[in-house]
């Protein structure tokens, strides 16, 4: 069985404040992309055989162990993970890998197992990847509301800088907090091809840690992309293109500077 674990970007991310449990309350719009990692799952008599980085610490391995244990170990699985997405870039690759393992194992070994709680136990972004598409998210990202958005051409770029999420959140200051995102205005602007009124509260902390990221954002804007924004906690940025031709041209200009890929955002896949 082959599965595509697509990337995501955040069409705006606002930190509303710090919660009593130490996490930050956020408001964001997740949008899945048309490209990502590839996973190959094959049933075996017992156990988990995993080929990929980090071994048992990999979220994909942990997802397999969580599902098979919840299902009563009806069999085992061999997993081959072919990484295409950069790590520590804010594109959700690890979370998407985990979600696709859960969905794949549900097909291989159907059982009365609720995937959402398993996904949330693996990470706050994992539940979104069970359905993909576009969704408004609150809390730490686990309270989801599906939204409708036409597929749009997008360019994603990462200079290769790995920016660990805990490090970025540790840099958050009170002045980085903001109001809720204007969801309807963002969606309308995106549909009309206008500059969306969104922001990412984590850009400030990321830029303080690595000022060179400002130059990355400026370069993407100079290449004619609109709505250029850092995704998640970084360090990848995305921007919207007028059409596929412009997206290809921008990727050609960026391909020697780091990871550059074009595709579409907003497409859904699967269901919880």
């Amino acid at each position: 069985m082959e599965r595509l674990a697509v990337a995501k970007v955040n069409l705006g991310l606002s930190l509303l404040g710090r919660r009593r449990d130490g996490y930050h309350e956020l408001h964001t719009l997740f949008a899945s992309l048309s490209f990502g990692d590839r996973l190959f799952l094959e049933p075996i008599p017992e156990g988990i055989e995993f080929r990929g980085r980090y071994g048992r610490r990999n979220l994909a391995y942990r997802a397999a162990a969580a599902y098979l244990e919840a299902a009563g170990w009806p069999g085992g699985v061999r997993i081959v993970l072919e990484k295409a997405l950069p790590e520590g870039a804010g594109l959700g690759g690890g979370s998407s890998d985990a979600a696709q393992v859960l969905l794949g194992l549900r097909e291989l070994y159907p059982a009365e197992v609720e995937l959402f709680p398993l996904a949330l136990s693996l990470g706050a972004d994992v539940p979104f990847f069970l359905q993909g598409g576009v969704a408004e998210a609150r809390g730490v990202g686990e309270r989801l509301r599906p939204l409708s958005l036409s597929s749009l051409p997008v360019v994603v770029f990462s200079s290769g800088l790995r920016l660990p999420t805990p490090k970025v959140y540790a840099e958050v200051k009170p002045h980085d907090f903001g109001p809720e995102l204007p969801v309807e205005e963002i969606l309308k602007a995106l549909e009309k091809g206008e500059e969306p009124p969104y922001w990412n509260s984590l850009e400030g902390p990321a830029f303080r840690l690595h000022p060179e990221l400002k130059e990355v954002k400026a370069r993407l804007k100079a290449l004619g992309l609109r709505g250029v924004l850092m995704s998640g906690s970084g360090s990848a940025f995305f921007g919207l293109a007028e059409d596929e031709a412009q997206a290809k041209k921008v990727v050609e200009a960026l391909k020697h500077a780091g990871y550059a890929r074009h595709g579409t955002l907003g497409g859904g896949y699967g269901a919880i």
Side-chain angles (χ1 to χ4, degrees):
M1 174 190 294
E2 180 180 355
R3 301 192 72 93
L4 177 65
V6 299
K8 63 82 180 168
V9 292
N10 297 77
L11 302 175
L13 189 161
S14 189
L15 296 181
L16 308 182
R18 190 182 296 273
R19 298 161 27 141
R20 291 182 178 179
D21 60 8
Y23 290 97
H24 289 85
E25 188 76 19
L26 61 82
H27 186 212
T28 189
L29 299 182
F30 287 127
S32 61
L33 304 180
S34 57
F35 53 86
D37 300 332
R38 291 196 177 276
L39 287 142
F40 299 86
L41 282 72
E42 178 186 353
I44 58 177
E46 61 181 15
I48 301 172
E49 295 180 12
F50 179 76
R51 194 166 77 196
R53 295 189 67 183
Y54 309 119
R56 296 185 175 212
R57 292 184 292 118
N58 194 294
L59 267 184
Y61 183 101
R62 291 165 54 194
Y67 182 89
L68 292 173
E69 182 175 354
W73 290 95
V77 65
R78 179 180 295 113
I79 302 172
V80 177
L81 171 58
E82 293 185 354
K83 288 295 292 184
L85 298 172
E87 298 178 35
L91 299 175
S95 295
S96 187
D97 296 341
Q100 288 306 310
V101 167
L102 293 177
L103 291 168
L105 285 174
R106 185 173 66 178
E107 287 189 29
L108 291 177
Y109 299 112
E112 294 296 320
V113 174
E114 291 289 336
L115 295 190
F116 190 95
L118 285 185
L120 185 56
S121 72
L122 294 164
D125 289 354
V126 182
F128 164 71
F129 286 108
L130 292 176
Q131 62 184 37
V134 179
E136 178 182 15
R138 296 177 179 275
V140 294
E142 85 286 4
R143 301 204 308 270
L144 300 167
R145 179 171 72 97
L147 300 171
S148 177
L149 180 68
S150 300
S151 293
L152 301 170
V154 65
V155 172
V156 172
F157 175 75
S158 172
S159 64
L161 173 68
R162 185 167 182 176
L163 203 52
T165 299
K167 186 176 181 180
V168 179
Y169 273 96
E171 180 62 27
V172 171
K173 311 296 183 188
H175 65 260
D176 294 314
F177 298 145
E180 293 191 346
L181 295 169
V183 176
E184 296 306 319
E185 287 85 348
I186 291 171
L187 295 177
K188 288 179 182 178
L190 290 169
E191 294 285 8
K192 292 180 179 179
E194 300 172 350
E195 190 75 14
Y198 53 38
W199 64 89
N200 185 341
S201 296
L202 294 176
E203 277 192 349
F207 290 174
R208 291 194 291 272
L209 290 169
H210 295 279
E212 66 271 24
L213 290 175
K214 292 182 182 179
E215 299 174 13
V216 174
K217 184 173 184 177
R219 183 177 184 186
L220 295 184
K221 287 184 175 181
L223 288 170
L225 299 177
R226 70 178 188 280
V228 176
L229 198 67
M230 189 178 79
S231 182
S233 58
S235 63
F237 288 81
F238 70 93
L240 303 166
E242 294 297 327
D243 50 34
E244 186 177 0
Q246 186 199 19
K248 288 181 177 179
K249 185 177 179 180
V250 172
V251 167
E252 185 66 23
L254 293 170
K255 67 179 183 180
H256 297 299
Y259 173 91
R261 183 72 189 266
H262 72 85
T264 57
L265 63 78
Y269 65 98
I272 296 178

